């Protein structure tokens, strides 16, 4: 291994920069040349390579987003696109590639590995839905941003006896919503993994109002059948019986742009080092993740097409604590 490249792909996540920095600096210490590829798989296909030395990644550790920029690239989903990607790697004499990203990105890296290229993935997504990592880069920061918003909504909610339906990210996975609900002391949580009857949520809110609560929070994952918009539509006809005046707050991309937390910076630094170690060992086609308190590799073939199962005991806990 002499020359490696690193890219960030899919949804950006706070901590991606710390992972790039770690790959660049640990790769450099192994005596390798390191290149960044701008704009994910699109930059791979179009050979957007930039040489990166240890000083080029100074000052990015504390910044959210990804200084290499990310992209969604439909062309990479085709064999032709991936062969183009292989060609630009070979033309630039790259011996190994590190892909920092979530589920979709790691499917791409697996397919590139199947074409015979040495690839290592790093688990990074605020959704925390990747098999092969207990937590993923970006999750902790996104969770803390959701929490700060919930805490603030409680303050204003208490002044007006309002209830807030707070929608957080999570297309297929309710992990972020569930954790935000537990940490934020929500009255109810709505996630894609559990079918809910909106009448049950209405009743929970009603009971909370009757118990004299000054505010109420319902955390809703964007991918739930009843997202915040659909829930408020449902509640419109029931508003009087619920007690609280209800409002919707959709956090959306606000959750992505935060300054990476200490936990995300440390996780990203460790996984970045884990990725160059895996390349050095000749261990390719793996995802570097955090498993049982350690950096661990899992074959990409065992993670693609899967999503990590949510521990539904946490859903029960959220209900018990309302
Ligand atoms: P994330 O990695 O955050 O889950 P996406 O699902 O949008 O984000 O995937 C990011 C990129 O990974 C896509 O734009 C595409 O280039 C690549 N990708 C996703 N799915 C596949 C696939 N099935 N085959 C090849 N490449 C894929």
């Amino acid at each position: 291994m002499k020359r490696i490249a690193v890219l960030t792909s899919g949804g950006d996540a706070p901590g991606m920069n710390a992972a790039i920095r770690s790959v660049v600096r640990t790769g450099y210490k192994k005596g390798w040349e390191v290149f960044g590829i701008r704009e994910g798989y699109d930059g791979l296909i179009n050979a957007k390579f930039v040489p990166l030395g240890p000083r080029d990644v100074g000052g990015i550790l504390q910044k959210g987003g990804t200084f290499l920029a990310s992209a969604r690239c439909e062309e990479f989903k085709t064999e032709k696109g991936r062969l183009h990607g292989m060609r630009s790697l070979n033309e630039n004499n790259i011996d190994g590639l590190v892909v920092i990203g979530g589920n979709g990105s790691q499917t791409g890296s697996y397919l590139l590995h199947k074409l015979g290229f040495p690839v290592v993935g790093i688990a990074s997504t605020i959704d925390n839905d990747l098999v092969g990592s207990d937590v993923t880069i970006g999750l902790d920061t996104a969770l803390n941003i959701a929490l700060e918003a919930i805490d603030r909504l409680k303050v204003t909610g208490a002044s007006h006896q309002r209830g807030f339906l707070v929608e957080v990210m999570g297309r297929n996975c309710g992990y972020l919503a569930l954790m935000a609900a537990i940490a934020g002391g929500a009255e109810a949580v709505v996630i894609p993994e559990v079918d809910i009857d909106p009448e049950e949520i209405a009743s929970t809110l009603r009971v909370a109002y009757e118990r004299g609560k000054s505010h109420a929070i319902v955390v809703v994952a964007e991918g739930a059948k009843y997202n915040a918009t659909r829930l408020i539509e449902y509640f419109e006809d029931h508003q009087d019986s619920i007690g609280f005046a209800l409002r919707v707050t959709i956090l959306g991309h606000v959750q992505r742009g935060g300054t990476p937390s200490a936990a995300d910076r440390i996780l990203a630094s460790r996984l970045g080092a884990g990725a160059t170690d895996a390349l050095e060992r000749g261990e390719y086609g793996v995802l570097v993740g955090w498993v049982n308190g350690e950096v661990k590799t899992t074959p990409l073939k065992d993670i693609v097409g899967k999503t990590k199962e949510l521990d539904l005991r946490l859903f029960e806990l959220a209900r018990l604590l309302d």
Side-chain angles (χ1 to χ4, degrees):
M1 192 76 34
K2 286 202 180 79
R3 282 157 72 98
I4 67 161
V6 55
L7 63 81
T8 48
S9 166
D12 64 303
M16 277 182 159
N17 280 326
I20 298 167
R21 173 178 176 270
S22 174
V23 169
V24 170
R25 292 194 174 169
T26 58
Y28 177 82
K29 297 257 161 75
K30 292 179 196 297
W32 303 342
E33 274 184 273
V34 187
F35 292 79
I37 301 174
R38 292 193 50 78
E39 293 157 19
Y41 290 127
D42 187 65
L44 176 59
I45 291 172
N46 296 299
K48 296 179 186 166
F49 290 82
V50 279
L52 292 179
R55 297 280 31 95
D56 298 315
V57 290
I60 64 170
L61 179 67
Q62 64 273 36
K63 293 192 175 145
T66 158
F67 96 119
L68 285 175
S70 189
R72 295 206 152 91
C73 171
E74 283 306 305
E75 202 182 342
F76 203 73
K77 292 185 179 169
T78 66
E79 173 108 352
K80 198 168 154 228
R82 291 192 292 275
L83 286 169
H84 273 146
M86 272 272 276
R87 196 194 305 150
S88 46
L89 286 164
N90 290 330
E91 280 173 2
N92 285 275
N93 298 316
I94 303 293
D95 311 309
L97 175 69
V98 177
V99 173
I100 305 170
N103 254 325
S105 304
Q106 302 308 343
T107 305
S109 64
Y110 172 61
L111 294 173
L112 195 61
H113 163 72
K114 280 223 302 187
L115 287 176
F117 200 84
V119 187
V120 167
I122 292 181
S124 174
T125 162
I126 66 164
D127 288 346
N128 198 29
D129 57 352
L130 260 178
V131 174
S133 203
D134 297 344
V135 284
T136 48
I137 297 168
L139 166 72
D140 185 67
T141 308
L143 186 53
N144 279 299
I145 291 170
L147 207 51
E148 194 185 329
I150 290 169
D151 288 347
R152 289 180 184 204
L153 290 171
K154 279 185 166 180
V155 173
T156 170
S159 306
H160 299 272
Q161 244 194 343
R162 275 190 185 139
F164 281 97
L165 310 177
V166 189
E167 187 173 295
V168 302
M169 283 193 159
R171 269 174 298 171
N172 310 304
C173 176
Y175 187 89
L176 191 59
L178 193 47
M179 292 302 158
I182 293 173
E187 273 61 37
V189 58
V190 184
I191 54 176
E193 290 87 346
V194 181
D195 282 336
I196 55 115
D197 178 355
E199 197 44 53
E200 229 181 276
I201 305 288
S203 144
T204 303
L205 290 172
R206 202 175 294 129
V207 169
Y209 186 79
E210 280 160 9
R211 271 158 62 198
K213 288 204 177 193
S214 59
H215 54 72
I217 297 284
V218 181
V219 181
V220 187
E222 63 172 332
K225 182 175 158 211
Y226 282 98
N227 62 15
T229 311
R230 281 184 219 118
L231 262 187
I232 197 85
E233 273 166 20
Y234 178 88
F235 289 147
E236 243 145 44
D237 306 332
H238 300 57
Q239 185 76 59
D240 291 345
S241 72
I242 285 174
F244 294 108
L246 294 179
R247 296 284 185 276
V248 166
T249 298
I250 297 177
L251 295 184
H253 287 80
V254 165
Q255 282 159 106
R256 285 196 189 278
T259 299
S261 65
D264 273 329
R265 294 183 206 188
I266 293 164
L267 177 67
S269 300
R270 296 189 76 170
L271 298 191
T276 55
D277 284 348
L279 285 174
E280 191 174 41
R281 288 194 299 269
E283 199 184 338
Y284 310 136
V286 291
L287 179 80
V288 180
W290 188 252
V291 182
N292 295 330
E294 275 183 68
V295 177
K296 283 264 168 67
T297 55
T298 308
L300 286 167
K301 71 171 168 34
D302 296 341
I303 68 147
V304 293
K306 295 185 186 160
T307 44
K308 188 159 60 199
E309 256 186 52
L310 197 60
D311 182 349
L312 289 177
R313 284 174 304 180
L314 293 167
F315 186 75
E316 289 313 314
L317 178 65
R319 280 192 167 180
L320 283 173
L321 298 176
D322 72 340

